Amino acid sequence: QVQLVESGGGLVQAGGSLRLSCAASRRTFSQYAMGWFRQAPGKEREFVATINWSGSKLHYADSVKGRFTVSRDNAENTVYLQMNSLKPEDTAVYYCAATAYDIGYLHTETSEYAYWGQGTQVTVSS
């Protein structure tokens, strides 16, 4: 089992940047594929980005492609989400998630992830 703790959220103006971090509790962090999701009020949780165990494969939602970058540091047991050119529609609670299944591949569905963090709020003002 792995515990995940997100940090780095906050309030930012449109066009600004934030970097989210997700720290994992286990030293076997490299045995997990990771994902970022977000949930706005009144909406379902949606996929944002995913990265395989080694960081060699990445995938993004169309809505964030070209603005967000996912990366990981297995030595630090941490996955990151660099968010640039933020828009008001990016406002949401952001969650990181981990799966130990098919870690060489990319996972975009919430049902594919067994472990979730508590979330961090990102608010983008216009």
Side-chain angles (χ1 to χ4, degrees), residues 1-7 21-37 45 72 76-80 94-100 113-120:
Q1 191 169 0
V2 61
Q3 294 182 328
L4 305 172
V5 179
E6 302 97 335
S7 61
S21 299
C22 173
S25 61
R26 291 189 66 107
R27 287 177 289 179
T28 54
F29 178 65
S30 63
Q31 296 179 11
Y32 295 87
M34 302 297 295
W36 285 98
F37 292 77
R45 193 168 298 188
R72 66 188 296 161
E76 295 294 327
N77 296 343
T78 304
V79 63
Y80 303 97
Y94 283 71
Y95 299 88
C96 70
T99 179
Y113 291 88
Y115 308 104
W116 292 83
Q118 83 289 349
T120 185

Side-chain angles (χ1 to χ4, degrees), residues 55-72:
S56 63
K57 297 179 181 178
L58 313 172
H59 182 62
Y60 301 92
D62 288 342
S63 58
V64 307
K65 200 171 294 183
R67 300 187 298 121
F68 291 11
T69 302
V70 60
S71 62
R72 66 188 296 161

Side-chain angles (χ1 to χ4, degrees), residues 7-19:
S7 61
L11 173 64
V12 64
Q13 289 189 333
S17 298
L18 283 174
R19 188 194 196 200

